[in-house]
Amino acid sequence: MQKSFLTVALLTAMSVSSANAATVLGFKAGADYWHADAAGNLPADGGSLQSFEYDSSAHTSLWFAVEHPVPLLPNLLIRENRMQEHGAKSDADFSFGGIGFTGDVNSIMDLSNTDFVLYYELLDNDIVSLDVGGAYKKMHGSFRVGNGNGLSHQKDFDGAVIMGYASAVVGMPGLGLYGFADLMAGVNESQVYDYSVGLGWEFDGMALDTRVRAGYREFNFDVRSFDGITTDSHFKGYFAGVELLF
């Protein structure tokens, strides 16, 4: 069902891209500061999932997009997401990477990833902007476990998730205020999703426009045997950032 929906959405986007393509070549660049709570578990030997108490701290996202007036050719967005959190577990008794861990154990959960998004503009005016397309979320994460005795082991994973993509902006002409929502939903991994909603303010400039934005974001990573990893983990919390349009 998800694959069929994505196919229909992309064909629809391509059919109207000629009428709604950008009139000139444009670029966007931005950064978000994201204070997120992390929760999750790591895949211990034997298939058991070990839960840890993770901290809340700052994470970052950086992105760059290119929009052009060429019909049928999709626009490009690349976004780097840094998501790493430290956790701890008391009274542990499990094996990870062939090493037995007992007592007080620490963990580092890294779900960092890079988004490669191809999208079409269905609408682009002062009131409503709507983009749809597809995304390739390339993971470059790891789970690391260690203890106070110097024992440690790290398991890396670098698979990718194919995702559907949609982004909407609703503005108030003359005021600069706008609301936005962005969504990526997994196709080959149905329990992986990444969404954000929020409000922003746009300031017009001579050479470039500036957007200041804030909102809520959640990244859910619930996978089974994904590049040798099974986990149900997520990052969620509030963010603030800035975007430049030129």
Side-chain angles (χ1 to χ4, degrees):
M1 177 64 73
Q2 286 180 311
K3 293 181 180 179
S4 298
F5 175 79
L6 177 59
T7 300
V8 172
L10 287 175
L11 290 175
T12 302
M14 291 176 65
S15 68
V16 299
S17 63
S18 297
N20 295 283
T23 56
V24 296
L25 183 65
F27 302 93
K28 298 178 182 179
D32 283 339
Y33 171 94
W34 182 22
H35 190 85
D37 297 326
N41 45 54
L42 65 85
D45 297 346
S48 65
L49 295 178
Q50 299 295 319
S51 298
F52 282 75
E53 293 293 330
Y54 288 97
D55 299 328
S56 300
S57 62
H59 311 278
T60 58
S61 287
L62 304 172
W63 68 90
F64 179 80
V66 180
E67 296 184 343
H68 57 81
V70 182
L72 299 183
L73 187 65
N75 301 301
L76 173 65
L77 166 67
I78 300 176
R79 180 174 65 172
E80 175 68 18
N81 306 292
R82 296 297 178 93
M83 306 177 188
Q84 185 182 95
E85 199 59 85
H86 294 259
K89 182 180 181 68
S90 300
D91 300 322
D93 186 9
F94 65 91
S95 179
F96 184 64
I99 301 175
F101 291 93
T102 59
D104 294 333
V105 178
N106 57 73
S107 171
I108 300 177
M109 177 174 63
D110 190 344
L111 299 186
S112 297
N113 60 85
T114 305
D115 297 320
F116 300 91
V117 184
L118 297 176
Y119 66 94
Y120 295 95
E121 293 183 315
L122 296 187
L123 295 171
D124 185 16
N125 55 61
D126 292 338
I127 300 177
V128 180
S129 174
L130 177 62
D131 301 334
V132 299
Y136 183 86
K137 183 179 282 289
K138 185 69 167 65
M139 302 298 300
H140 39 90
S142 64
F143 286 99
R144 181 179 179 85
V145 177
N147 61 18
N149 297 323
L151 292 176
S152 66
H153 178 73
Q154 180 170 308
K155 181 178 291 187
D156 300 320
F157 55 97
D158 59 0
V161 183
I162 306 301
M163 313 186 79
Y165 170 81
S167 176
V169 177
V170 178
M172 300 180 65
L175 298 180
L177 183 66
Y178 65 92
F180 64 89
D182 301 314
L183 170 65
M184 289 195 296
V187 176
N188 60 328
E189 294 289 347
S190 61
Q191 298 304 310
V192 176
Y193 57 82
D194 191 345
Y195 77 88
S196 59
V197 294
L199 296 173
W201 201 287
E202 183 171 340
F203 303 90
D204 295 333
M206 293 293 293
L208 54 83
D209 298 335
T210 303
R211 289 177 174 175
V212 178
R213 45 187 252 143
Y216 178 86
R217 180 179 177 185
E218 179 174 351
F219 174 54
N220 190 71
F221 191 68
D222 184 354
V223 295
R224 299 292 179 269
S225 299
F226 176 87
D227 200 18
I229 291 292
T230 294
T231 186
D232 181 5
S233 304
H234 66 255
F235 284 73
K236 58 183 179 180
Y238 295 96
F239 70 88
V242 62
E243 183 177 45
L244 304 177
L245 297 82
F246 48 95

